[in-house]
Amino acid sequence: MDVTVPYSGTLVAYRATSHMTGSIQLNVTKATYAAFPTFSLISGANPVALAAAVKNEDAVLSGWSVSVDAGDLLDVEVMTASAVERVVVALKLTI
């Protein structure tokens, strides 16, 4: 599911939670409205991840392209998953 960014700013953290212990890696991608449906990877080599856990957060986002503009679309893609059926990902944006 795509989410439209309401304000320009900088991504500074993510928090991922699951209803059960498991592992998952999720890539975060971004598209401008003009470029939609072409998305580009912004999470680099450090995807959103749970590793045999129910929660994880990252407030560094090393290697991420963290700048977003109002109207950009963000999408999360499952790369790998084990024993996880549902994950909630929250991205923190400073404006």
Side-chain angles (χ1 to χ4, degrees), residues 7-13 66 68 91-95:
Y7 307 103
S8 296
T10 303
L11 295 170
V12 296
V66 295
V68 293
L91 298 171
K92 183 175 181 181
L93 175 72
T94 59
I95 53 175

Side-chain angles (χ1 to χ4, degrees), residues 14-93:
Y14 79 73
R15 181 178 283 178
T17 57
S18 175
H19 65 292
M20 60 193 329
T21 299
S23 299
I24 192 165
Q25 288 190 338
L26 305 141
N27 279 338
V28 180
T29 59
K30 175 178 84 169
T32 64
Y33 183 77
F36 182 85
T38 303
F39 283 79
S40 298
L41 181 67
I42 64 168
S43 54
N46 296 306
V48 173
L50 294 176
V54 295
K55 61 185 178 180
N56 187 34
E57 59 187 354
D58 181 354
V60 178
L61 304 183
S62 178
W64 284 46
S65 299
V66 295
S67 179
V68 293
D69 294 317
D72 283 350
L73 296 116
L74 298 178
D75 190 44
V76 177
E77 302 172 344
V78 176
M79 302 311 294
T80 63
S82 174
V84 174
E85 297 174 0
R86 182 180 64 221
V87 175
V88 174
V89 176
L91 298 171
K92 183 175 181 181
L93 175 72

